[in-house]
Amino acid sequence: MPPQRSTGTDSEAEHPRYAGQYLLEARLGSGGMGIVHLARSASGLRLAVKVVHAEFSQDPEFRGRFRQEVAAARRVSGAFTAPVVDADPDAAHPWMATLFIPGPTLAEHVKRNGALSTDRLRHLMAGLAEALRDIHRAGVVHRDLKPSNVLLAEDGPKVIDFGISRPSDSELRTETGKLIGTPPFMAPEQFSRPRHVGPAADVFALGSVIVHAATGSGPFDSDSPYLVAYQVVHDEPDLTGVPDELLDLVARCLAKEPEDRPTPDELMTALRSVSASYDTRAFIPEQRTGGGESAVPERASRPRPRPRRPEGAEDRTHVAAQKRGGRRRRLPALVVAAGLALVTGVVVGAFGLPGTSQSPAGEHHAALPPGHAFRPWSLDLKTSGSEAAGRPQCTYTPRALLCVRPGVLAAAMDPDNGEVLWSRSDTGTTSAYSTPAPVLSGGLLLVGSGDGRRLTALDPATGATRWTRDVGRYEGRIAHAAGVVLLVAPDSEVTALDAATGREKWRHTVPGMHLPQFHSFGDGVAYAISTPTVTETRVAAVDPRTGATTWQRTMNGQLGVVAAHDGTVWFTSTTADQYTDAVLRYDVAERRLHRTALRVQQAQAQVAVRGDIAYLLGNDGSLVAVNTRTSKQLWRVETSVSKASAPAVAGGRLYLTAVDGRLLAVDADRGALLGQTRPRPGGTRGSLVSVLPAPLTAATHVYATAPDGTLFAVDGRDPSGW
């Protein structure tokens, strides 16, 4: 373990240099529980790592509460929260790492820019309603929703900080007489009966947050928290400045009795009727029914009396409107760039959608031939007695789909009908978020444990163990290439193992490389990446069988390798804010580097390459196709599917999976949506994860996994029939 350090004199300054395997690069902020640091994962993703204050680390009650926070955050990790990447609540300094989401908090935005416009308020309210729906669906009550716990990301608001939230099955209860929360945004029942706080308290807080966003202050405002508490329990809210079209809905959220407040689903339905020009479904098409008719759910809204405005309300509303209108808003650079793209003739469209560098899953399989009979299938992959949640992670062979899942060490399924050929349980792995995908190498199936400490090689035909090795000291820095396992130690020494036997082949450092990250794409080469400075990237091609470096080059910018074939290697260029701004192709024989700048930068794009065409899917749902030889952008669409899987390309189609378990097919030539499956979100408890496995394609079949734990297969020839 790297040495720990302390800086400064105050109690908050004490913190380790590392949290697990993550180097803490900069301090983002601090709160009552701990300090939040900026860090990076092995693949280069920026992370927000919360490390508990040293003074609390020895408190058993506090550790229990932090474990509860980690459990709650993991349950709801998905599209509307900061996804949990890793955590260790039992470390000397307990910590939790989530994906870093660029963007201010709502509190910061309102303080800096004033109240939100009506349109932005509607979007905010709809986004928070969706977030609460998924949080409550996962069996969690947040209990501290407030402007400082709402991040304004580009793809919608994100709810953060589950420090005092409580899963419904938690054994840790609120102490008698102890109020936990932020008074201006607490519901009446949080003051009067804190042991019986339910999801309706979060809806009350949502109403208070919207009032703050609309006016700059809350519906109950005083310098004294005691007076605020009295107002929350006994007084009517001050809704002066809330737009008329949202007034009744906000008043319903702030009802004194929990049963009188709308549910998040009712809020979303009501918001759809507020304005014909606004649709909270984010381009969700109507679902088909058996008779071919569309089924649009309807919920009756309970009428509520219109809240009375206090005397002088019209004057205060006028002042608030002047405050909102007095500041000229600058269009974001992305919007301006998108407008320029339209003017210059780039094809830009929008889907009608329902809501580490690896070779694209469909890259190595044949196109979809006609005339092959196939019946879709679905199964819940788990072993007897295993109730662990989480998506399966799979790899394809013509004879079997080989998968892992929390609680399942490995299993093999018939690709044609889903029949389980063999399965092995793993009672020691319970995390739904860290089980790595299996790899077929050297004729064996290599599977890692959820804690990253053990690598096991199995016979893919029977599931029998062939060899196993402790790999804990490598802290997850494991790669596979050409039948070789590459292990990178903390001192940058690389150990190569024969995947067929587990025996060591060679051991040394790669010249000029500090903690290299290895990637392979089926061409027999291991591509090593390291970033010696923030402005350059060093790339080396290594023969994994001998360890010899065949070529090495230093390139400008922060680059990640995304594909390689036929003597060409593709990279993406990333800005300091984690936006992908270009695709680079490197001709190895000619030592020539060609850069294709994107017209509009992509948020943390994932990439699939087919021939000369690169397809980039942004974290915000934008999907772009560019010809890397001619530097022409072919098309661009806004999918409205945020934080989707990496795309897979095969047979002239792109496939991707959404956080709710939908599989989508896109025409690779035009960017048009061809079809999508139904959602499989994971039931009432939910199990959204932060990194989604890409779909797998082979012949006529497309395989995908879902948060409810299912593995399913569909006919790739007819996506419109999914």
Side-chain angles (χ1 to χ4, degrees):
M1 183 62 136
Q4 296 183 347
R5 67 178 181 185
S6 297
T7 58
T9 58
D10 60 303
S11 60
E12 290 186 356
E14 183 182 351
H15 60 275
R17 187 181 179 192
Y18 283 78
Q21 61 179 308
Y22 307 108
L23 175 65
L24 306 179
E25 299 179 353
R27 176 166 162 167
L28 297 174
S30 64
M33 293 180 69
I35 303 173
V36 181
H37 303 267
L38 179 67
R40 291 183 188 271
S41 71
S43 63
L45 285 179
R46 290 201 300 174
L47 306 176
V49 181
K50 181 176 183 178
V51 182
V52 168
H53 288 317
E55 62 186 283
F56 296 137
S57 297
Q58 306 305 316
D59 184 343
E61 179 184 348
F62 185 87
R63 277 185 176 269
R65 191 167 297 284
F66 186 71
R67 289 190 190 94
Q68 180 170 285
E69 176 181 2
V70 171
R74 276 178 162 167
R75 284 192 180 186
V76 302
S77 184
F80 307 107
T81 61
V84 176
V85 175
D86 204 352
D88 188 356
D90 297 316
H93 295 271
W95 58 271
M96 176 173 64
T98 63
L99 193 67
F100 174 76
I101 298 175
T105 66
L106 176 61
E108 293 168 341
H109 180 87
V110 171
K111 182 177 181 180
R112 185 166 56 243
N113 302 307
L116 272 60
S117 66
T118 301
D119 285 344
R120 293 199 67 184
L121 283 172
R122 284 195 300 258
H123 281 87
L124 174 66
M125 196 169 189
L128 291 179
E130 282 190 281
L132 291 184
R133 178 199 62 188
D134 278 17
I135 290 170
H136 297 163
R137 184 180 287 171
V140 172
V141 179
H142 190 283
R143 300 201 302 168
D144 197 23
L145 183 66
K146 56 186 178 182
S148 60
N149 283 341
V150 176
L151 283 175
L152 298 181
E154 286 205 344
D155 57 342
K158 310 296 179 189
V159 176
I160 61 172
D161 197 348
F162 289 80
I164 65 170
S165 61
R166 189 170 71 210
S168 57
D169 56 356
S170 170
E171 295 181 358
L172 186 62
R173 298 300 179 188
T174 304
E175 295 180 21
T176 303
K178 181 180 288 187
L179 297 178
I180 301 180
T182 306
F185 302 95
M186 292 169 65
E189 61 269 25
Q190 288 181 272
F191 295 103
S192 59
R193 45 185 188 277
R195 284 182 174 270
H196 302 284
V197 172
D202 288 343
V203 175
F204 188 96
L206 184 152
S208 298
V209 167
I210 296 301
V211 176
H212 178 89
T215 68
S217 60
F220 308 97
D221 217 6
S222 173
D223 293 334
S224 167
Y226 302 102
L227 182 55
V228 169
Y230 180 88
Q231 292 172 342
V232 168
V233 175
H234 299 287
D235 292 353
E236 291 302 312
D238 182 358
L239 303 184
T240 304
V242 176
D244 287 346
E245 58 194 85
L246 298 178
L247 191 61
D248 288 337
L249 200 53
V250 171
R252 290 178 57 196
C253 293
L254 296 173
K256 299 299 183 188
E257 297 300 326
E259 59 271 18
D260 291 334
R261 301 170 202 150
T263 66
D265 278 325
E266 289 173 336
L267 278 176
M268 294 164 63
T269 301
L271 280 167
R272 285 198 288 269
S273 65
V274 164
S275 172
S277 63
Y278 177 66
D279 186 358
T280 64
R281 293 173 293 175
F283 305 105
I284 301 176
E286 296 175 351
Q287 300 296 310
R288 292 172 298 186
T289 63
E293 300 177 351
S294 64
V296 180
E298 296 183 359
R299 286 187 173 89
S301 298
R302 291 172 289 181
R304 288 288 179 272
R306 182 179 179 85
R308 293 182 298 176
R309 296 186 186 271
E311 293 184 8
E314 284 71 18
D315 293 335
R316 291 172 61 185
T317 302
H318 177 67
V319 171
Q322 284 185 321
K323 181 180 178 182
R324 290 195 300 269
R327 182 183 297 271
R328 291 179 61 98
R329 294 179 179 268
R330 296 180 59 189
L331 288 176
L334 287 177
V335 176
V336 175
L340 291 175
L342 279 171
V343 172
T344 54
V346 178
V347 179
V348 180
F351 278 169
L353 299 183
T356 29
S357 302
Q358 292 180 336
S359 178
E363 191 84 21
H364 307 293
H365 305 310
L368 308 175
H372 179 78
F374 174 71
R375 184 183 298 274
W377 55 262
S378 174
L379 66 89
D380 185 355
L381 178 61
K382 63 182 179 181
T383 58
S384 176
S386 171
E387 297 298 331
R391 290 179 186 252
Q393 301 250 22
C394 302
T395 189
Y396 171 84
T397 74
R399 293 186 178 181
L401 275 171
L402 301 165
C403 304
V404 297
R405 182 189 175 188
V408 179
L409 178 65
M413 277 66 59
D414 188 313
D416 290 327
N417 56 30
E419 178 186 355
V420 178
L421 305 177
W422 58 262
S423 180
R424 288 188 54 180
S425 62
D426 181 15
T427 56
T429 302
T430 58
S431 169
Y433 305 96
S434 56
T435 304
V439 175
L440 193 66
S441 182
L444 299 179
L445 184 67
L446 305 183
V447 296
S449 60
D451 59 10
R453 297 184 178 278
R454 184 155 296 278
L455 183 66
T456 303
L458 306 177
D459 186 327
T462 65
T465 299
R466 295 306 182 204
W467 59 265
T468 185
R469 186 180 180 109
D470 186 340
V471 293
R473 71 180 294 259
Y474 302 103
E475 300 176 337
R477 292 183 291 269
I478 304 173
H480 305 269
V484 176
V485 182
L486 301 170
L487 308 171
V488 182
D491 61 359
S492 299
E493 184 179 62
V494 181
T495 300
L497 308 179
D498 186 325
T501 64
R503 298 191 184 97
E504 185 175 316
K505 293 177 66 70
W506 54 266
R507 182 200 299 249
H508 58 69
T509 60
V510 179
M513 289 279 179
H514 174 67
L515 290 178
Q517 300 175 26
F518 286 98
H519 308 267
S520 65
F521 304 95
D523 59 354
V525 179
Y527 297 95
I529 294 281
S530 70
T531 52
T533 71
V534 296
T535 60
E536 62 181 10
T537 300
R538 189 162 294 161
V539 185
V542 178
D543 184 335
R545 293 167 288 267
T546 65
T549 299
T550 58
W551 60 264
Q552 187 171 120
R553 175 165 178 164
T554 299
M555 305 177 183
N556 293 330
Q558 293 286 300
L559 306 183
V561 59
V562 294
H565 64 77
D566 300 329
T568 303
V569 187
W570 281 264
F571 304 87
T572 53
S573 169
T574 305
T575 68
D577 293 330
Q578 291 294 292
Y579 281 87
T580 303
D581 61 358
V583 182
L584 293 79
R585 58 179 293 154
Y586 179 63
D587 187 304
V588 176
E590 298 183 8
R591 298 183 180 181
R592 184 177 61 193
L593 188 65
H594 179 75
R595 178 186 178 94
T596 298
L598 301 182
R599 295 180 182 272
V600 180
Q601 295 179 0
Q602 298 283 94
Q604 300 182 351
Q606 302 187 83
V607 185
V609 176
R610 184 76 167 184
D612 294 327
I613 312 303
Y615 304 92
L616 297 93
L617 178 62
N619 222 9
D620 57 359
S622 56
L623 179 60
V624 177
V626 296
N627 188 315
T628 61
R629 185 176 294 277
T630 65
S631 293
K632 291 184 177 179
Q633 182 171 307
L634 305 179
W635 49 259
R636 174 187 174 91
V637 296
E638 299 298 333
T639 71
S640 298
V641 180
S642 62
K643 294 183 174 59
S645 73
V649 56
R653 290 165 185 167
L654 290 168
Y655 301 97
L656 57 131
T657 55
V659 292
D660 61 3
R662 285 175 293 122
L663 170 68
L664 301 100
V666 180
D667 188 305
D669 294 326
R670 300 179 293 113
L673 176 68
L674 300 176
Q676 59 191 320
T677 64
R678 66 175 177 83
R680 293 175 168 88
T684 58
R685 294 288 294 274
S687 55
L688 296 176
V689 298
S690 57
V691 180
L692 307 185
L696 303 172
T697 63
T700 61
H701 309 174
V702 184
Y703 306 94
T705 62
D708 63 0
T710 58
L711 166 67
F712 62 95
V714 295
D715 191 335
R717 296 168 301 174
D718 183 25
S720 63
W722 291 352

